Amino acid sequence: MARLGVVLLASCLSICVSGSPCPSGTTRKVSLNGKLGSQEFPNMFFMENILSNISNPYEDVYLDISENAITDLPFQAFDSGIFQRVTSLNLSNNNLTKISGGLFNQFRCLKILNLDNNELEKISNDTFNDLSELVELILKNNALTNLPSGILGTGEENSTLRRFDASRNRIRFIDDNVFHEGLVFLKEVDLSYNYLEAFEPWPYIPMIPIYSNKRMFFNLQYNHISRFSNTLGWTKTREPNVIVDLTHNRLRYFRKENFSQYLAGQIPTVFDMDVMDLNVRDNPWFCDCGFHYLLMQLIDTFFYRMFHSFMTCDSPSEFKGYNFSYFFNHPDQLICNITERCPSDCKCQDRPHDGYILVDCSSAGEYADLPQTVPPGPLFLQLSHNKITSLSYRDYLQNITKLDVSSNNILRLEDSFLEKVTSLKYLNIRNNGLKALPSRIQKFRMSSVRFSGNPLVCSCDTIWLNDWVRRNSEDMSSDSLSRHLCYHNGHYLRLVDVTWNSLVCYRDIAISVSVVLGVLLIILIICTVVCCKRKYECKVLMYDIFRFHPFDKESCDNADDATKIYDVYLSMDRENEDIRLWVKDELLKRLEKKSKSRPVYKVYYPCRQDDFGDSIADQMVENINKSRRVLAIVNSSYLKNGWSIEEFDHGHDLMEKTKSGRLIVLQHGDLDLSAVTQEPLKTYLSGRQCLNVSDRWLWQKLRYELPHRYHKDYIFFNVNEAV
């Protein structure tokens, strides 16, 4: 009869509880810790009786069944509505190897489930599906090898889960949909001390609100992660609200491709990398050329101090223990050794700070010509102290930026070879057997060519050497000039002293004069025709050579016009990184660098000078009004950028209405002009005076279009330089 009464009481409680809201009053702890098999708790089925003794229906229950050596939980153990009162269930420190399907169906109000320190090897994906109120799920210290999709819900509706701990397992794989967008309240994920080998963008998939007052913490410490991957196909579309701890893993090589795979292939900026908030300290980093990109991104930004202690080098051995901040002052030491396509007995290095790949075959002693294969990219080819007799054609000649073939056996250097090395900036041919130099060598400045130590022969056909040396003598010391000699009639002459008279190179004066006059007449006729057909180019040439600028002047170019502060305002697609790099590395250096031979301009560059606190539109209008010229750098993205088009139209309208300046258009890259419909931009792009980055006359034309500077400006800058 007593047993029957207990059963009836439990049934009544079940009916009362069924369909009722979860208890929200005080918490009653029911501790059965280590009591299984006792008189109070002889088996698992007595839990129902124990819970039935709690008379207050408003109390929620913390049920502790830990440390009972339980190996299996039958479904019937929790098959009662009385368990809806349980809000916290502790099953830790047992011997559970599996969880039966539907085991927790009755725990409708369960908020905390602790399965710590069991022997669980596998959990079904629907094990926790009925726990709609679950806030904490603790699975640490088990033997799990993977997390199946659906273990944390399906993502069809927002989950209440705030903490998930699966640390200290054997997890090697996480299915695609474990971390889904519906986990909007998730604040802590602990997957430390597992066997994960690749980082997937799991932390960034849950749609944690940006305005949330606490960021999610995703712990991946002490795994085996050595690479970044994106098999999930995730792409960053907003700023994540998560901190990811990847310390104490096996990350070794930094490459910008690690992040571009999360940006739809775009080159990552320092901001893109920063918002992902990855803590990658205490990894065995190999400090090589891959970090140079990150270093250049950080320099001159407010991220500089933030990344000062970014990480510590583990290798190569010469940098072991060095902090990342060391390379802020030694960026040239971030190099990569290359083995692929590297010639035998040579050392190949990618040296991004120097801007080339070094192929060092010096003193190899076995090369009689240029190597057949080299790594791709801009090259510094070092082949001194070999047995090279001639320089043959190779399919990589256009990639050579520096070439050192000194101390070889080269007897002849052909013009045809120099025509092929279109990117060559430095040439060392010292200590060879050259008796003459090719005339095409004049395209180089003498300071970029080393050719002493060759048995050059003075002749009337090489008088041009004297002119070449004299044109470049200002870059050379007297000692250097004395080392460049040629042999004539038993003695040596300095090239700077080789003249028609010194070599007794007489010519028939009448023939010479006739030839000269004939040539001048032909040149005059050609120049007349060219001037008629190429009027604009002729004006540019006249200004470039003689600084003669009688045409196309603007009233605002007068020095006394105090309303014009800037010479030129730059209009561009500010979001295009390639354009910004070109402006920084090429355009601004050309316009703002002091020089004796060309003027210096005052440039308004919005990316550098705009105040972030003011309206961009107001600043645009104000600074265009203060500029004598507006230079629009037009590329494909400029045409799609509404702000850039508005900036162009304002510059055009201002220059047309006020007649106080000029709008200059510079085309950057290829454009399909037939697809350009905006006016007046279309007219500018199709006009003859539209500049183009690929134009060899670009800088001469640009200086012609910019405000004219008088000689007093040069004197002013020269005085400053002297000071």
Side-chain angles (χ1 to χ4, degrees), residues 70-196:
I70 301 171
T71 59
D72 186 27
L73 283 172
F75 175 81
Q76 297 83 359
F78 299 126
D79 188 18
S80 172
I82 196 70
F83 291 102
Q84 292 187 33
R85 300 183 62 178
V86 177
T87 58
S88 180
L89 176 61
N90 187 353
L91 283 167
S92 64
N93 295 289
N94 282 290
N95 299 325
L96 293 171
T97 59
K98 66 177 182 177
I99 300 294
S100 303
L103 179 64
F104 302 114
N105 287 354
Q106 297 295 336
F107 290 85
R108 302 294 174 84
C109 296
L110 190 65
K111 295 182 178 180
I112 301 174
L113 176 58
N114 188 350
L115 291 165
D116 176 23
N117 203 20
N118 278 278
E119 298 176 11
L120 296 172
E121 297 180 355
K122 186 177 181 181
I123 294 181
S124 175
N125 61 348
D126 60 353
T127 300
F128 310 113
N129 281 4
D130 291 319
L131 304 180
S132 59
E133 300 292 325
L134 194 63
V135 174
E136 290 188 23
L137 177 58
I138 303 172
L139 297 172
K140 68 179 182 180
N141 291 302
N142 278 282
L144 298 174
T145 58
N146 78 296
L147 296 178
S149 293
I151 190 174
L152 302 182
T154 62
E156 295 178 358
E157 56 185 33
N158 294 342
S159 170
T160 58
L161 190 67
R162 284 173 169 77
R163 181 183 174 216
F164 175 61
D165 187 348
S167 60
R168 299 185 181 277
N169 278 271
R170 303 170 190 172
I171 299 172
R172 296 179 181 274
F173 181 74
I174 299 176
D175 281 350
D176 291 354
N177 201 35
V178 171
F179 298 100
H180 52 79
E181 294 183 352
L183 296 167
V184 295
F185 297 107
L186 197 59
K187 291 301 179 185
E188 181 182 346
V189 175
D190 193 345
L191 290 170
S192 60
Y193 294 94
N194 278 287
Y195 299 156
L196 295 169

Side-chain angles (χ1 to χ4, degrees), residues 16 23 64 69 109 223 241 247 280 292 295 327 333 335 407 416 462 495 500 505 515 522 534 578 582 601 663:
C16 293
D64 184 357
C109 296
N223 274 271
N241 194 18
T247 58
V280 292
H292 187 267
L295 188 69
F327 297 103
Q333 296 186 25
I335 61 176
S407 301
S416 58
T462 58
L495 290 180
W500 288 97
C505 296
V515 171
I522 294 172
R534 297 279 183 176
D578 291 337
W582 181 82
Y601 302 97
L663 177 61

Side-chain angles (χ1 to χ4, degrees), residues 11-29:
S11 300
C12 292
L13 286 173
S14 299
I15 295 172
C16 293
V17 172
S18 299
S20 301
C22 296
S24 58
T26 59
T27 301
R28 171 75 66 89
K29 181 175 181 180

Side-chain angles (χ1 to χ4, degrees), residues 46 76 81 105 159 202 212 261 395 410 464 581 605 685 687 711:
F46 270 77
Q76 297 83 359
N105 287 354
S159 170
W202 308 295
S212 177
Q261 65 181 319
D395 58 6
I410 301 173
W464 58 266
L581 288 176
Y605 179 32
L685 289 172
H711 290 289

Side-chain angles (χ1 to χ4, degrees), residues 14 40 67 77 82 98 114 199 207 246 264 310 324-325 328 363 421 469 529 544 569 598 614 622 634 674 691 718:
S14 299
E40 176 189 0
E67 299 183 10
I82 196 70
K98 66 177 182 177
N114 188 350
F199 172 78
M207 301 295 285
L246 282 167
F310 177 58
F324 182 67
S325 59
F328 282 109
S363 303
V421 284
V469 172
V529 174
D544 186 57
Y569 176 97
R598 60 176 182 263
D614 297 335
E622 177 184 354
V634 181
S674 63
L691 307 183
N718 289 338

